Amino acid sequence: MSLTNAQIAELAARASAQLEGNKQKALRRIARRALTWPEEVAVMVEGNQPLTSLRGIGPWVERTLLEWLQDPPDVPEPAEIRSGFLSYPEVKAVLSEDLSWRRDLRGDLQMHSVYSDGTVPIEEMARGAAALGHEYVAITDHSKGLAIAGGIDESRLAEQRAEIDALNEDFERDNRPVRILRSLEMNLNPAGEGDMDPDALGQLDLVLGSFHSQLRKKEDQTERYLAALENPDIHVLGHPRGRIYNHRVGLHADWEVVFRRAAEVGKAVEVDCFPDRQDLGVELLELAAGTDVLVSIGTDSHHPDELAFIDFGAATAKLAGMPRERILNYMKVQELLDWAGSIST
C-alpha cells in the first residue's frame, strides 16, 4: 500500500526528531503542511506531478518523500501530540459521501483581519467567504489581552464595529449575499475572566472566549472551563483544548461535564477548523454529540486562502454524528442572532 498524506505527516514528524538544523525545520514544517495538501501525494506522483508544486516542498524534501513512497517504511500510530488529526484528502472523502454537509453550511464563525493578526482587510475576508457560498461571517479579531497577536482595545473595537456597519450597508445596497457579524475573540485568563469592558462587548453580535495561556498544564482543567462558561460576556468557548499539531497536546478536562454545563447555560463550544488545530476533534465532538451542547464552526482564518478550511469542520461534525440542528453554522443569520441575544446579559 502507498502512503497517505497523514502517514507522511507522521513520518516527517518522527524523522525531524533525528535531524538538526534546516533539515529538521523543513521536515517539521512538512509534518504540519501535509495535512493541508488537497491531493494525496501518492496520486500526484502517479500522475507525474512535481511535488515541489506543493507549499513547503523543495528538492531535498521531494527526494525524501519519493524515497518513502517508493519503499514505504512502517508507520507507527501517531504520538498523542499528533493524534486525531484529519488530512485534507480524508476530509474531502468524508464530505463526498453527503455533499449537503458542506452545501447547507451557511457561515464561518471565526476569522481574523488586519485589526489584529490577520493579513487582509475585513472586506477582503468577507468577499472571500461570499465566494465560497457563505451567507455570514464573524470577524473575531483578538482582544487587547493578547498583545502578541495585536489584540485590540475598546476604542479600536468601536472603530471596527463602525467599519463593519458601513460594509454591511454597502453589501446590502449592492445585493451582496454576505452579512458581517460584529464579533471578537476575547482572551480569557485561567480563571475564565475576560479583558474587555462588558459595555463594549454588549455592542457585538457574537463573542468567542478563548484561553491563550498556561496551555501545557497536565492537571485536570475542568474548573477552568466551568468558570469560563459562567462568564456572562461570551457565547462560544473557542478552540477548547488549545492543542496544536506536533507542538502542544492541549489541556485535559472532564469534557462530558464541560459539555453538559455548556448546554445548561445555552452556550456553544467550537470546532476550530484550522488544520493544525482541529479543536475540537472527532473524538471529543463525538462525546459532545451525546449531550445537548451547541457547536460553532470557525476556520480561524488569517487570509482568504484559509477560508476553505471550513471543510475540516463540516467533515468533523459529520464523522462525530453531531446533529445539524445543534450547529450554529447551519442556522439562518437571524436565528443565530436571536440565539446569541437570548444568552446575553
Side-chain angles (χ1 to χ4, degrees), residues 91-281:
V91 162
K92 292 198 293 186
V94 169
L95 295 180
S96 70
E97 298 170 358
D98 184 349
L99 298 179
S100 68
W101 276 90
R102 179 61 189 87
R103 183 188 64 232
D104 296 344
L105 191 147
R106 297 176 182 272
D108 183 340
L109 295 178
Q110 190 188 164
M111 64 183 66
H112 301 271
S113 77
V114 291
Y115 273 84
S116 63
D117 58 346
T119 58
V120 302
I122 293 171
E123 182 175 4
E124 192 169 339
M125 293 298 289
R127 289 180 184 277
L132 293 177
H134 292 320
E135 299 173 14
Y136 52 81
V137 297
I139 299 295
T140 56
D141 282 305
H142 291 287
S143 63
K144 62 185 179 184
L146 200 65
I148 193 172
I152 58 178
D153 62 14
E154 288 82 357
S155 175
R156 187 73 168 143
L157 180 63
E159 293 176 20
Q160 184 190 69
R161 190 175 71 246
E163 179 177 333
I164 288 173
D165 288 345
L167 284 169
N168 279 331
E169 290 179 5
D170 290 344
F171 287 174
E172 185 175 5
R173 184 175 57 251
D174 297 340
N175 293 315
R176 297 246 170 80
V178 64
R179 165 86 172 267
I180 306 170
L181 304 182
R182 300 170 298 183
S183 310
L184 184 74
E185 184 180 7
M186 183 168 65
N187 189 49
L188 300 178
N189 68 21
E193 300 165 336
D195 60 350
M196 298 289 281
D197 184 339
D199 289 340
L201 299 175
Q203 304 299 311
L204 302 179
D205 298 313
L206 190 72
V207 178
L208 277 64
S210 301
F211 295 114
H212 294 101
S213 62
Q214 300 186 34
L215 298 179
R216 288 186 168 83
K217 284 185 170 292
K218 296 182 179 180
E219 303 88 354
D220 183 281
Q221 298 293 300
T222 303
E223 292 304 316
R224 180 198 289 214
Y225 292 104
L226 296 180
L229 290 169
E230 297 305 320
N231 186 317
D233 298 319
I234 71 168
H235 303 97
V236 179
L237 192 59
H239 49 69
R241 284 189 65 186
R243 72 173 184 171
I244 296 179
Y245 182 88
N246 205 32
H247 177 69
R248 188 172 63 221
V249 172
L251 300 174
H252 298 278
D254 187 333
W255 291 107
E256 185 170 2
V257 169
V258 173
F259 297 150
R260 291 194 182 280
R261 183 55 183 159
E264 289 171 358
V265 297
K267 297 186 179 183
V269 294
E270 186 188 41
V271 175
D272 185 312
C273 307
F274 210 83
D276 64 2
R277 283 190 180 271
Q278 297 187 45
D279 179 14
L280 303 163

